[in-house]
């Protein structure tokens, strides 16, 4: 039987919440994921409302997925009774996407004054995976040092950088490719992303065929 996971997914105040939609949708569809705890910072909630044209008090699950989802629970940033604030909660770990550099700095300093930082602190102290999909450019020295420190503490900095050699033609393809790679990285094996391996993935085979067809037409 495949591993059954409970995963925490956090959305912070960095632009790019469409990526959070793709990641949450993929987790919701994956039978290996039995439950997702969705955490939104106040700024993250505001950005979801802005980027999706919804009200700030709207159900974030329905906003991101376009429907309710039984296996996804949304938590307010001040909900300290949440199970993910305790190391005894059997969670696989946590993905933050998008992750602001302010969030990284607070995690690095061990500041647990908000739900997301507390959940991240739990992951580090319990030696569970913590994946921070930062979205910022350019980076100043404080950002770089914070990312170094959180990496030394056991976290992983996984920037929201798209790939190009898979020849994406739309923004949606970039978001989908990043999502596939992210989930594959955290151990939820994927088959649709562009990969350099023997025989190639389905995506890489299809893209190679597309390039060949285009070349034949020129």
């Amino acid at each position: 039987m495949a591993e059954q996971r409970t995963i925490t997914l956090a959305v912070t105040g960095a632009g790019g919440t469409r990526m959070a939609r793709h990641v949450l949708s993929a987790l919701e569809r994956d039978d290996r994921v039995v439950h997702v705890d969705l955490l939104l910072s106040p700024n993250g909630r505001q950005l979801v409302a802005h980027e999706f044209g919804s009200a700030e008090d709207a159900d974030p699950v329905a906003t991101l997925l376009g429907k309710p989802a039984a296996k996804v629970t949304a938590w307010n940033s001040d909900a300290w009774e949440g199970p993910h604030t305790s190391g005894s909660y059997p969670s696989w770990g946590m993905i933050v996407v998008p992750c602001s550099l302010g969030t990284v700095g607070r995690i690095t300093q061990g500041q647990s004054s908000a739900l997301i930082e507390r959940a991240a602190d739990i992951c580090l102290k319990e030696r569970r995976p913590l994946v921070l999909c930062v979205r910022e450019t350019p980076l100043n020295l404080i950002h770089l040092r914070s990312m170094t420190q959180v990496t030394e503490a056991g976290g992983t900095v996984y920037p929201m950088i798209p790939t190009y050699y898979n020849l994406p033609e739309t923004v949606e393809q970039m978001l989908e490719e990043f999502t596939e790679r992210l989930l594959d990285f955290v151990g939820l094996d994927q088959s649709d992303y562009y990969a350099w391996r023997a025989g190639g993935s389905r995506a890489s085979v299809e893209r190679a065929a597309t390039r060949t067809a285009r070349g034949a037409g020129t």
Side-chain angles (χ1 to χ4, degrees):
M1 183 177 179
E3 177 188 2
Q4 301 291 285
R5 293 187 182 183
T6 292
I7 293 178
T8 299
L9 177 66
V11 180
T12 71
T17 60
R18 285 173 63 189
M19 187 67 80
R21 162 183 275 182
H22 278 266
V23 175
L24 180 60
S25 179
L27 293 175
E28 196 272 333
R29 294 192 307 267
D30 199 315
D31 291 337
R32 294 166 294 185
V33 179
V34 295
H35 187 76
V36 179
D37 288 302
L38 178 64
L39 317 183
L40 293 95
S41 71
N43 288 337
R45 186 178 287 273
Q46 289 178 4
L47 274 174
V48 168
H50 172 69
E51 296 183 3
F52 288 93
S54 64
E56 284 189 30
D57 60 354
D59 177 12
V61 178
T63 299
L64 290 172
L65 295 181
K67 62 176 184 178
K71 75 179 190 180
V72 182
T73 301
W75 298 87
N76 293 324
S77 60
D78 57 354
W80 285 97
E81 74 278 7
H84 28 270
T85 63
S86 171
S88 64
Y89 184 53
S91 172
W92 166 86
M94 181 176 180
I95 301 170
V96 186
V97 57
C99 182
S100 69
L101 269 301
T103 301
V104 177
R106 289 188 292 276
I107 293 172
T108 298
Q109 297 301 316
Q111 296 183 25
S112 298
S113 58
L115 183 62
I116 290 176
E117 286 80 5
R118 172 59 179 169
D121 188 57
I122 290 292
C123 287
L124 293 177
K125 83 178 187 68
E126 297 293 329
R127 306 301 190 266
R128 295 171 184 164
L130 173 64
V131 182
L132 307 175
C133 300
V134 299
R135 195 222 55 78
E136 190 67 84
T137 188
L139 301 170
N140 64 39
L141 186 57
I142 294 173
H143 299 154
L144 294 170
R145 285 177 173 165
S146 292
M147 288 190 288
T148 296
Q149 284 183 267
V150 81
T151 300
E152 291 172 340
T156 297
V157 176
Y158 197 103
M160 284 175 53
I161 299 174
T163 57
Y164 298 99
Y165 56 76
N166 55 307
L167 305 180
E169 297 180 343
T170 65
V171 173
E172 286 299 303
Q173 288 179 356
M174 287 184 169
L175 298 177
E176 290 168 0
E177 181 78 7
F178 181 89
T179 299
E180 296 280 347
R181 289 177 175 276
L182 174 62
L183 296 190
D184 194 79
F185 175 77
V186 301
L188 294 171
D189 297 342
Q190 306 292 306
S191 62
D192 290 343
Y193 78 102
Y194 193 97
W196 295 104
R197 58 176 177 243
S201 65
R202 184 175 70 185
S204 59
V205 171
E206 289 175 351
R207 285 166 175 73
T210 299
R211 289 199 301 274
T212 300
R214 286 176 178 168
T218 58

